[in-house]
Amino acid sequence: QVQLVLSGGGSVQAGGSLTLSCVASDDTFSNYAMAWFRQGPGKEREFVAGISWSGTATYYGSVTLGRFIVSRDNARNTVSLQMNDLKPEDTANYYCQSDREMFRSPSDMLQLIDDKEDWGKGTLVTVSS
């Protein structure tokens, strides 16, 4: 499985913005849809946003409420999540994931909600009121 390195987490006040980045180690990155998930304290994992392998299609979870933008740069093996108007309920560990099959739609990555693999620590986003 491709190795993913996350960055960009941190603490911000409500109403602020953060951008998360995820860099993949594998040059097959451009063949796979990518998605962001999050898990807040005491909460279930949530789907945040996904983007197709080409970057032409995106799919957002209801948690974003139109505040987040997902993008990718296949030349740099990077997927990003721009988060605006952050709210305390956005506090969570955020994870990026590569799809498990090539060339699927970003909505197909909803299936990873129940993925049992170890996703590591993710990157922590803390939003204070």
Side-chain angles (χ1 to χ4, degrees):
Q1 188 174 344
V2 64
Q3 298 299 310
L4 302 169
V5 178
L6 283 74
S7 63
S11 298
V12 65
Q13 289 191 326
S17 299
L18 280 175
T19 298
L20 308 181
S21 294
C22 175
V23 180
S25 62
D26 196 320
D27 286 339
T28 62
F29 169 82
S30 61
N31 295 339
Y32 293 89
M34 297 292 295
W36 290 92
F37 295 81
R38 73 185 189 186
Q39 188 163 14
K43 296 183 179 180
E44 298 291 321
R45 182 183 293 165
E46 297 177 307
F47 176 87
V48 178
I51 188 165
S52 64
W53 57 275
S54 63
T56 57
T58 56
Y59 186 80
Y60 292 93
S62 59
V63 299
T64 65
L65 302 174
R67 300 174 294 129
F68 296 1
I69 300 171
V70 61
S71 61
R72 69 188 295 161
D73 182 344
N74 285 344
R76 296 185 172 144
N77 289 359
T78 300
V79 61
S80 300
L81 182 69
Q82 179 182 337
M83 305 185 292
N84 303 312
D85 190 22
L86 284 161
K87 305 177 185 303
E89 51 265 40
D90 295 317
T91 295
N93 281 300
Y94 284 73
Y95 304 85
C96 74
Q97 285 290 310
S98 172
D99 201 357
R100 304 302 191 255
E101 298 179 33
M102 291 190 290
F103 306 125
R104 295 203 302 176
S105 297
S107 57
D108 290 327
M109 296 197 68
L110 282 166
Q111 300 171 11
L112 293 184
I113 281 284
D114 297 321
D115 188 78
K116 302 305 181 186
E117 293 182 12
D118 181 2
W119 288 12
K121 296 180 180 180
T123 187
L124 178 62
V125 172
T126 303
V127 184
S128 57
S129 58

